[in-house]
Amino acid sequence: MDISSDEADDWFIESLNTYKDLHVFQLEHPTKVIEWTGEKSICVAGYTGARSEILELLLPLKLYAGENQSLCAERDFKVQHGGFSEEPIESLIHIPGTRCAVTTGSSSSTLQIWDIGGDDSDVIKRTGVINLKSTSAKGIKIAPGLTDEPAVLHGSGISEVQLTEIATGRVLYTVAKESSDSVSGLQFVNACVFLICASNGTLLMGDTRDPSTCHYPLQDSKSGLHWSFGLRSDSSQSEPSCCTVARLSSSGHMLLSDLRDLQSPFCQTKLNVQHSTSKNDFLNVSWAPVLNRCLSVSGFDGTVHIYNTMDWSTEGQSPQPVFSHRGHEMSHEAKYSSSPPVVTTHSWHQSRPKTLLSAATDGSLHVWDWVDKIIDR
């Protein structure tokens, strides 16, 4: 979508009332990953260059200044630690409780292990490599294990999904299912139970104590699309109904399910989203960790949409977002670019209810907190 100068100016004036905070940063190379390493820090990594930069950034201090914002001059992200990968970074996860990160690239079937660094060093160093028996180097998805010993769940295809111990490279678990389906995403529900979403929308639920998996294919009417998924779980409760799965298709179909009945979604709807890209590389749906029943969607264009699913019905009109962040497509660079930016990824702050970070194909990185008096917290 082409943005006129007048439209961008109008958005800027309007943003003074619609955002509590909005801070922008320009990366040298765009990132597909925004990974939290602490309450006020994130990791990003380039995916376009042959030699890609990995950075740990401290969020703008002004974001945390509260009522004293006018006294705080720090509006920019600050580089805390940095390093380089010899290949573009497709995925990056931080292992909770450590200074360890794991990445996958687009040109090799390996897991790269990194030390993010501490107070004594500003360098992010590669400390190890785990070679994988993968048939496809591109598209390896990773998720942190939730056990005492650091481990990573990974796989490009369903039949290749494994849980690997980081310190030793020992394979702790392998999915016992023959399948040619590719992995769109995977995530642990608790220390043992995990979910896999295939690119065709099929869900699989596994348990590291049992090699077999439960298989929940989609209805035929929605086949042929690319799907992404997001899992919302309440770590303080173990009831299946407290874990909600959202599946988003490349055409905007949205399915909501819980673990009690993954075969039959309790809500189905179609989002009114614009397609400015034919690729599905950036499709992203994510649940808000604090706001009840709210989720976010990006990857179709230069916008991040926030929805309150409390009002969704099983049938009817397309739900309207409670807020849409258009900052990336309204940026100065975007106005004079032949191809408008597409949001590559976004992530919710884990404790600030309406604070998100988002990145786009033009290298822009935003942190924003929107004003909304309607949402029931």
Side-chain angles (χ1 to χ4, degrees):
M1 181 177 65
D2 294 329
I3 303 298
S4 68
S5 178
D6 288 344
E7 187 179 0
D9 291 342
D10 290 344
W11 176 85
F12 176 76
I13 297 300
E14 183 185 355
S15 70
L16 298 177
N17 295 319
T18 54
Y19 291 90
K20 180 181 176 182
D21 289 291
L22 174 58
H23 302 278
V24 302
F25 188 74
Q26 190 65 36
L27 299 169
E28 186 173 349
H29 298 288
T31 181
K32 280 185 180 181
V33 296
I34 298 175
E35 180 74 357
W36 291 97
T37 57
E39 174 73 14
K40 301 179 181 180
S41 57
I42 58 169
C43 260
V44 297
Y47 69 90
T48 57
R51 193 166 185 256
S52 301
E53 198 170 23
I54 303 176
L55 299 174
E56 185 183 35
L57 302 176
L58 181 67
L59 269 61
L61 294 180
K62 199 174 183 72
L63 192 69
Y64 297 89
E67 296 179 355
N68 297 319
Q69 281 202 357
S70 60
L71 303 177
C72 181
E74 291 291 342
R75 294 185 56 87
D76 293 330
F77 289 81
K78 181 180 179 182
V79 177
Q80 294 284 87
H81 300 88
F84 287 94
S85 166
E86 298 302 322
E87 62 178 354
I89 301 297
E90 292 289 319
S91 301
L92 183 152
I93 59 169
H94 170 243
I95 304 301
T98 73
R99 294 293 290 167
C100 171
V102 181
T103 65
T104 63
S106 59
S107 58
S108 66
S109 297
T110 62
L111 299 178
Q112 310 276 337
I113 315 301
W114 302 85
D115 180 351
I116 303 174
D119 297 336
D120 57 340
S121 172
D122 58 4
V123 178
I124 296 178
K125 301 177 182 178
R126 196 181 74 175
T127 58
V129 176
I130 298 176
N131 295 308
L132 306 177
K133 297 179 180 179
S134 174
T135 58
S136 172
K138 185 173 176 60
I140 299 174
K141 306 300 181 183
I142 53 179
L146 301 180
T147 54
D148 293 336
E149 294 298 324
V152 57
L153 188 68
H154 57 86
S156 176
I158 298 296
S159 58
E160 299 171 351
V161 172
Q162 294 180 330
L163 180 67
T164 300
E165 190 175 56
I166 292 176
T168 63
R170 182 167 59 98
V171 176
L172 304 176
Y173 171 85
T174 302
V175 168
K177 183 171 182 60
E178 293 296 325
S179 173
S180 60
D181 294 339
S182 60
V183 175
S184 171
L186 33 71
Q187 187 175 337
F188 272 95
V189 177
N190 56 37
C192 299
V193 178
F194 61 89
L195 281 179
I196 304 172
C197 181
S199 294
N200 62 8
T202 296
L203 285 177
L204 296 95
M205 185 163 61
D207 190 314
T208 55
R209 297 163 296 188
D210 183 354
S212 63
T213 56
C214 299
H215 186 246
Y216 305 97
L218 269 185
Q219 302 299 322
D220 293 338
S221 60
K222 294 184 178 62
S223 61
L225 302 172
H226 179 85
W227 292 80
S228 177
F229 96 128
L231 173 67
R232 182 182 189 273
S233 60
D234 186 341
S235 59
S236 65
Q237 303 182 57
S238 58
E239 289 296 320
S241 60
C242 296
C243 297
T244 309
V245 182
R247 278 173 287 177
L248 173 68
S249 82
S250 51
S251 65
H253 290 96
M254 182 75 79
L255 307 177
L256 303 183
S257 314
D258 65 44
L259 295 191
R260 294 172 298 183
D261 187 4
L262 290 175
Q263 186 61 59
S264 302
F266 64 79
C267 180
Q268 303 187 43
T269 191
K270 178 81 159 53
L271 305 181
N272 183 20
V273 289
Q274 302 296 320
H275 299 261
S276 66
T277 177
S278 59
K279 296 183 179 180
N280 302 311
D281 296 353
F282 309 133
L283 206 60
N284 187 356
V285 55
S286 179
W287 287 97
V290 179
L291 290 178
N292 188 30
R293 300 286 295 275
C294 285
L295 56 74
S296 50
V297 167
S298 68
F300 295 97
D301 55 15
T303 309
V304 181
H305 296 293
I306 311 294
Y307 294 91
N308 186 353
T309 65
M310 195 82 72
D311 303 326
W312 288 8
S313 59
T314 54
E315 296 180 3
Q317 296 180 337
S318 295
Q320 296 300 308
V322 296
F323 186 81
S324 295
H325 175 59
R326 301 182 63 196
H328 295 283
E329 63 184 13
M330 292 295 177
S331 66
H332 181 267
E333 291 80 7
K335 287 189 292 182
Y336 300 99
S337 173
S338 58
S339 57
V342 176
V343 174
T344 56
T345 186
H346 72 269
S347 180
W348 292 81
H349 194 284
Q350 295 304 297
S351 60
R352 294 170 63 98
K354 298 195 296 294
T355 299
L356 294 91
L357 286 97
S358 53
T361 51
D362 62 352
S364 57
L365 175 66
H366 293 182
V367 57
W368 41 281
D369 189 321
W370 87 93
V371 175
D372 194 314
K373 300 177 182 178
I374 299 175
I375 288 183
D376 179 15
R377 290 168 55 190

